[in-house]
Amino acid sequence: MSTWSRFKKHYYQNADLGLALDISRIPFPDDFLAAKESALQQAYTDMAALEKGAIANPDENRMVGHYWLRAPKLAPTPELAKEISDTLATIKSFAADVHSGKILSSTGQKFTQLLVIGIGGSALGPQFVNHALGQPAADKLVVSFFDNTDPDGIDYVLASLAGKLPETLAVVISKSGGTAETRNGQLEAAAAFKAAGLDFTKHYVAVTGAGSKLEKTAIDQKWLARFPMWDWVGGRTSELSAVGLLPAALQGIDIQAILDGAAAMDVISRSTKTAENPAALLALMWYYATDGKGTKDMVILPYKDRLLLFSRYLQQLVMESLGKERDLKGNVVNQGIAVYGNKGSTDQHAYVQQLRDGVNNFFVTFIEVLKDREGASFDVDPGVTTGDYLQGFYLGTRDALSESNRSSVSITVADVSPRTLGILIALYERVVGLYASLVGINAYHQPGVEAGKKAAGAVIDLKLKITEKLKSSAGQTFTADSLATALAVPEKTELVFKVLEHLAANGSVKKTTNTPWFESTYAS
């Protein structure tokens, strides 16, 4: 079959959504779609049950209802539907009051800056939307992020806010209130406000779960406002909850348009007619391209600067959802699809060389945006604009990869607008759910993340024991070996060494460098 004939057969276009999907460059055989239809019908059934309130995460006995966020009437109870609608109304009202100056800072100034404090899904989605839809000349608030527990990174952001803290609103986002990185950022920001002579409580807003540590703190300290994080919304699917909508609304973005776009995609992606369902078609392409086992990586190449952070957002959505040790039957399967990417045509000067000529261990998702810019473009060559070049690089790269038997899909959207972002977010949320059903895993729990948090906590506990031992042994020096022995943790000598090196680099302990290096000594 010719390229054009295959393209015509497998090109999906939806004019109402302003979205198209080309799966013709994934080399699946003619009988593949039909062979997977039965499994896909079961996936539709599974997804429908989720949307009706079935328990999706037995580990935590909770539902998964991010679909209700853009269609509250679909929530399983009237009370829940009302809570969703009321929260959206409160977000819009709060943002309007901040913009109008009805809500002022501790010094009586209008807020002009927004500091978002969160990590994972509490940062990746808001950062993606902020970067994609920001308009520096028109944004109501300028947005910065604490998205890690890196002291230097925190200082970098605070330096950008120098002199602006009196007009900075801080939104702290944590479902439990116990997430270490977010808590640390909350405390660091509070210290900065205090150092500037400001009452930070008149600058702070919480987005958190009912009864959480963060909610209790916000109530006790009388923060400006609180917004809910529901247990039925996972972090990686929380962008269309208060987690993402509040920062976007404060920035001045049309959050209703984002929700409307997501709702429109939900309607289309609920279709049980596979040829009319772009999420189902994309899930099938993931399955074929990776053998249903994650044997190839997914490279996201958006040909639009504003979509630069889309691959980071998708890393969590896809990898945290699909990266599972066991399937639903308890079998060890080690599922997952690795996601990475940057933007076109930048990547043509970075890793496209390997994509074309190196190891064939990936498939590409190209994202094309038809609208170049607001207003007209001038010609950089006779009859040719910068946008024409951008499309040329996209189409040329796609053909170059196809010539080298590299697989790809292409998603085409009309523009980068709030509605389009809602469409893309909802599309990928549905793809993840359908693919998980196809491979028989639970996309809505993340035991590996919790394991990492516990291990990090153990390191902090060890650090405290090390510093206490050094303080109580004033004048005595220790090697990593002797200190681990003194603490009765010889099996953790490597961790002891790493902690000691960190303490020494930051002036908390004194190090005497010896040869060999592991004979170096440390003292308080």
Side-chain angles (χ1 to χ4, degrees):
M1 183 183 295
S2 70
T3 301
W4 174 240
S5 296
R6 185 172 173 84
F7 178 82
K8 286 193 294 183
K9 183 176 181 180
H10 295 300
Y11 186 67
Y12 168 90
Q13 188 174 60
N14 188 307
D16 292 335
L17 289 178
L19 178 137
L21 172 66
D22 173 21
I23 61 172
S24 67
R25 296 189 183 221
I26 299 287
F28 58 89
D30 291 341
D31 62 350
F32 174 71
L33 299 181
K36 299 302 298 180
E37 185 63 23
S38 177
L40 201 51
Q41 289 297 324
Q42 182 58 53
Y44 297 142
T45 300
D46 293 342
M47 292 298 296
L50 286 181
E51 290 198 80
K52 291 177 181 177
I55 297 299
N57 189 345
D59 295 351
E60 300 172 0
N61 192 36
R62 64 175 174 86
M63 305 177 291
V64 170
H66 46 275
Y67 305 101
W68 311 329
L69 297 170
R70 49 265 197 176
K73 65 181 182 297
L74 297 180
T77 68
E79 294 77 14
L80 196 51
K82 183 177 186 302
E83 191 173 353
I84 296 168
S85 297
D86 288 351
T87 297
L88 177 60
T90 304
I91 289 170
K92 292 178 179 178
S93 175
F94 181 81
D97 288 347
V98 169
H99 297 156
S100 69
K102 185 176 180 179
I103 296 175
L104 297 172
S105 78
S106 63
T107 58
Q109 294 175 260
K110 283 186 70 173
F111 290 110
T112 65
Q113 308 293 316
L114 175 62
L115 174 61
V116 179
I117 303 173
I119 196 167
S122 297
L124 289 168
Q127 286 171 324
F128 167 49
V129 171
N130 162 252
H131 186 269
L133 299 178
Q135 300 289 344
D139 286 348
K140 301 295 180 66
L141 273 70
V142 178
V143 189
S144 303
F145 293 88
F146 281 1
D147 66 347
N148 201 357
T149 187
D150 176 9
D152 183 59
I154 290 170
D155 289 345
Y156 182 91
V157 174
L158 289 176
S160 74
L161 294 173
K164 301 175 185 176
L165 285 179
E167 53 200 68
T168 298
L169 180 68
V171 176
V172 184
I173 308 172
S174 174
K175 184 181 290 185
S176 68
T179 303
E181 297 93 335
T182 304
R183 172 187 169 276
N184 294 350
Q186 171 193 332
L187 296 175
E188 288 260 10
F193 278 107
K194 290 175 183 176
L198 302 170
D199 180 357
F200 76 90
T201 67
K202 300 299 187 290
H203 295 252
Y204 266 33
V205 175
V207 180
T208 190
S212 72
K213 295 177 183 178
L214 179 56
E215 184 184 56
K216 292 175 182 175
T217 297
I219 292 171
D220 291 343
Q221 296 180 348
K222 298 179 181 176
W223 291 11
L224 281 175
R226 305 188 314 277
F227 295 87
M229 288 181 77
W230 297 292
D231 65 357
W232 43 266
V233 178
R236 56 193 175 279
T237 55
S238 65
E239 174 54 27
L240 302 188
S241 71
V243 168
L245 295 181
L246 179 60
L250 289 166
Q251 185 178 348
I253 292 168
D254 184 351
I255 61 173
Q256 189 59 57
I258 299 177
L259 291 167
D260 290 346
M265 172 53 76
D266 284 343
V267 170
I268 298 300
S269 62
R270 286 189 190 102
S271 173
T272 58
K273 296 181 179 179
T274 301
E276 300 174 7
N277 187 330
L281 293 171
L282 198 49
L284 287 171
M285 295 306 99
W286 289 10
Y287 189 96
Y288 183 83
T290 70
D291 301 317
K293 299 176 182 178
T295 55
K296 291 194 174 183
D297 301 339
M298 184 192 311
V299 180
I300 305 293
L301 291 182
Y303 276 69
K304 202 68 172 176
D305 286 3
R306 286 185 174 273
L307 297 181
L308 167 66
L309 299 183
F310 195 35
S311 61
R312 289 187 65 203
Y313 169 76
L314 290 179
Q315 277 182 338
Q316 184 188 20
L317 177 62
V318 175
M319 297 177 72
E320 195 167 277
S321 297
L322 303 182
K324 301 298 159 60
E325 179 184 21
R326 298 180 182 273
D327 65 15
L328 294 171
K329 297 178 181 178
N331 301 311
V332 175
V333 291
N334 298 118
Q335 274 283 0
I337 300 177
V339 179
Y340 63 94
N342 191 356
K343 66 180 181 181
S345 65
T346 300
D347 285 308
Q348 291 169 220
H349 303 276
Y351 53 71
V352 164
Q353 167 63 33
Q354 177 168 316
L355 297 186
R356 188 182 187 279
D357 294 342
V359 59
N360 189 359
N361 64 343
F362 65 92
F363 70 102
V364 172
T365 299
F366 291 105
I367 302 176
E368 176 190 25
V369 179
L370 295 177
K371 186 173 183 178
D372 288 339
R373 61 165 29 130
E374 294 295 332
S377 291
F378 70 93
D379 291 355
V380 293
D381 288 319
V384 182
T385 69
T386 49
D388 296 330
Y389 269 107
L390 188 64
Q391 186 189 44
F393 285 128
Y394 148 58
L395 294 173
T397 301
R398 188 182 62 151
D399 281 349
L401 294 182
S402 293
E403 290 167 2
S404 198
N405 296 316
R406 269 55 173 169
S407 299
S408 69
V409 298
S410 287
I411 296 172
T412 300
V413 294
D415 54 23
V416 179
S417 63
R419 184 174 184 272
T420 295
L421 250 65
I423 286 169
L424 287 173
I425 288 168
L427 171 66
Y428 274 91
E429 285 178 350
R430 183 78 61 167
V431 177
V432 162
L434 293 173
Y435 180 87
S437 290
L438 288 175
V439 300
I441 60 171
N442 185 342
Y444 303 107
H445 68 156
Q446 51 279 344
V449 175
E450 298 307 313
K453 290 179 181 179
K454 291 178 181 177
V459 173
I460 297 300
D461 289 341
L462 179 62
K463 183 262 182 186
L464 294 173
K465 292 176 181 177
I466 288 171
T467 54
E468 178 60 30
K469 180 63 178 177
L470 291 176
K471 287 179 181 178
S472 66
S473 305
Q476 186 175 353
T477 61
F478 294 88
T479 64
D481 279 302
S482 64
L483 185 55
T485 299
L487 292 172
V489 289
E491 74 284 0
K492 295 183 179 179
T493 303
E494 181 182 342
L495 286 179
V496 171
F497 167 74
K498 297 293 290 184
V499 171
L500 286 169
E501 287 288 285
H502 180 251
L503 291 171
N506 288 280
S508 299
V509 304
K510 298 175 183 177
K511 176 184 177 181
T512 301
T513 301
N514 294 321
T515 302
W517 59 265
F518 50 82
E519 293 296 340
S520 297
T521 60
Y522 308 83
S524 61

